Amino acid sequence: MSSYLQKQSTAFKGTLAAAASKISNPSTIKATTLAPPSPSPSAASDSTTPTAKRKRDAAPEVPYSQPQLTGYGLEVKTQMTFAVDKLKKDRKSMSLTDLINHLSIQNQPEDHKKALSEGLRRHPRVEWKPDASLSEQTWLTGTYKHRPLIPDVHDATTLLAHLQRKTDASGLSVKDLKDGWPDCEDTLTNLEKQHKILVVRTKKDNLPRYVWPNDASLHHSVQPEFQTMWHRVPLPSLDDMHRKLVNVGQKPTSEDPHKLVMGAGAKPKVQKKRTGKRATKATNEHMTHLLQDYSKFRR
């Protein structure tokens, strides 16, 4: 009886094993249906393959440390700065509506626009002119214009008049002059050639820095023949000039060349610095009896 049951159990196990080998694994079927086939090397290098994406076609990375220019800002003071720069650049009168359109703040509330107009009217570099045709002015009326540091100077005539009105001998800064007259360098060069102004220039770039008035009637040209004769005149030596000036009782502006030659060989004395003794304060006075020298009492 036991042998019969063993035969039945063995036959059942064999049938179950045969059936299990014929049934495929569901996870294998799901993985094969969902995973896309890996492209071959030739297909990956082909530009027409939809799965292949060229490196140059990828979107460029935008660094987060360099934000894009998104506008003129939302603060009134920031917009006021851009409005003053616009007036300085155009050098003409503009209405508040023109400035609002330039700043692109048409959708801002009315209180924001009123604050901008009040700030521009109080700005020291802005000149506000009310509308003469209106008896009562509002926050939207009038025109705005840039007020330069040196007003009413925009050509050679107004520059010479401004220099003549000066009551002190200080020079006129070209930097301040360019605030209301940016292209003034050519005019300054022409006036300098005509000896109507004196110009101090930079050594490196030869750019004008300061301007003073000049009198052209005091300029006299020297003939080339006289200049040649002047350069042919022999000049005395330094020793002779010093000796002759001393003989006639004049004080030379330079020192005696003999003293300079004699003093050149002598070495200057170097004074040694004296190191002073620093007074120290005893902080262990209560232990003086313990710090005494008792070596003389040794046997």
Side-chain angles (χ1 to χ4, degrees), residues 107-122:
N107 298 328
Q108 292 292 335
E110 185 176 340
D111 295 339
H112 185 91
K113 299 176 184 178
K114 286 183 178 180
L116 178 62
S117 66
E118 293 176 359
L120 288 175
R121 294 182 183 183
R122 294 194 303 265

Side-chain angles (χ1 to χ4, degrees), residues 32 163 277:
T32 55
L163 292 175
K277 295 182 180 180

Side-chain angles (χ1 to χ4, degrees), residues 48 56 97 123-124 152 171 183 191 208 221 227 245 253 256 269 272-273 283 285 294:
T48 58
R56 63 174 178 265
T97 305
H123 200 283
D152 302 330
D183 50 350
L191 293 176
S221 60
Q227 295 181 10
L245 290 174
T253 57
D256 190 355
K269 295 182 180 179
K272 295 182 179 180
K273 295 182 179 179
T283 58
E285 295 179 356
Y294 295 98

Side-chain angles (χ1 to χ4, degrees), residues 62-127:
V62 179
Y64 292 99
S65 60
Q66 298 178 2
Q68 297 180 356
L69 183 61
T70 56
Y72 289 104
L74 300 178
E75 298 293 335
V76 176
K77 293 184 178 180
T78 304
Q79 296 171 356
M80 191 185 308
T81 303
F82 283 102
V84 174
D85 293 342
K86 177 64 175 177
L87 295 173
K88 180 179 179 181
K89 181 180 179 180
D90 293 353
R91 295 196 300 170
K92 64 178 183 180
S93 300
M94 299 181 65
S95 62
L96 184 62
T97 305
D98 297 336
L99 295 175
I100 289 175
N101 295 334
H102 172 70
L103 299 174
S104 301
I105 56 174
Q106 297 89 342
N107 298 328
Q108 292 292 335
E110 185 176 340
D111 295 339
H112 185 91
K113 299 176 184 178
K114 286 183 178 180
L116 178 62
S117 66
E118 293 176 359
L120 288 175
R121 294 182 183 183
R122 294 194 303 265
H123 200 283
R125 304 298 302 279
V126 176
E127 180 182 0

Side-chain angles (χ1 to χ4, degrees), residues 65-287:
S65 60
Q66 298 178 2
Q68 297 180 356
L69 183 61
T70 56
Y72 289 104
L74 300 178
E75 298 293 335
V76 176
K77 293 184 178 180
T78 304
Q79 296 171 356
M80 191 185 308
T81 303
F82 283 102
V84 174
D85 293 342
K86 177 64 175 177
L87 295 173
K88 180 179 179 181
K89 181 180 179 180
D90 293 353
R91 295 196 300 170
K92 64 178 183 180
S93 300
M94 299 181 65
S95 62
L96 184 62
T97 305
D98 297 336
L99 295 175
I100 289 175
N101 295 334
H102 172 70
L103 299 174
S104 301
I105 56 174
Q106 297 89 342
N107 298 328
Q108 292 292 335
E110 185 176 340
D111 295 339
H112 185 91
K113 299 176 184 178
K114 286 183 178 180
L116 178 62
S117 66
E118 293 176 359
L120 288 175
R121 294 182 183 183
R122 294 194 303 265
H123 200 283
R125 304 298 302 279
V126 176
E127 180 182 0
W128 175 71
K129 292 184 178 181
D131 193 351
S133 60
L134 299 176
S135 58
E136 185 177 356
Q137 304 293 327
T138 62
W139 63 273
L140 198 58
T141 60
T143 57
Y144 301 85
K145 187 178 180 180
H146 177 252
R147 179 180 295 169
L149 293 174
I150 305 176
D152 302 330
V153 177
H154 49 81
D155 54 8
T157 305
T158 54
L159 174 61
L160 295 176
H162 178 77
L163 292 175
Q164 292 176 0
R165 289 194 301 266
K166 287 179 64 65
T167 57
D168 54 0
S170 62
L172 183 63
S173 175
V174 179
K175 182 179 179 181
D176 297 343
L177 188 62
K178 286 185 176 181
D179 185 69
W181 187 14
D183 50 350
C184 64
E185 292 187 7
D186 295 339
T187 305
L188 296 180
T189 303
N190 296 331
L191 293 176
E192 184 182 13
K193 292 179 180 179
Q194 299 173 11
H195 306 285
K196 294 183 178 180
I197 60 173
L198 297 174
V199 182
V200 173
R201 298 179 177 273
T202 58
K203 295 182 179 179
K204 183 178 180 180
D205 302 326
N206 198 27
L207 299 176
R209 292 189 60 189
Y210 295 97
V211 176
W212 280 270
N214 191 15
D215 191 355
S217 61
L218 301 177
H219 177 75
H220 299 280
S221 60
V222 181
Q223 298 178 1
E225 297 178 359
F226 185 79
Q227 295 181 10
T228 306
M229 294 173 58
W230 174 263
H231 291 296
R232 289 178 181 176
V233 175
L235 297 178
S237 62
L238 184 60
D239 298 341
D240 296 339
M241 293 178 60
H242 189 278
R243 185 176 61 256
K244 291 180 179 180
L245 290 174
V246 173
N247 292 336
V248 297
Q250 299 292 334
K251 183 177 181 181
T253 57
S254 59
E255 297 183 6
D256 190 355
H258 297 286
K259 294 182 179 179
L260 295 177
V261 173
M262 294 175 60
K267 295 183 179 180
K269 295 182 180 179
V270 180
Q271 185 178 3
K272 295 182 179 180
K273 295 182 179 179
R274 299 179 61 182
T275 57
K277 295 182 180 180
R278 297 180 59 186
T280 58
K281 182 180 180 181
T283 58
N284 51 359
E285 295 179 356
H286 62 287
M287 300 177 63

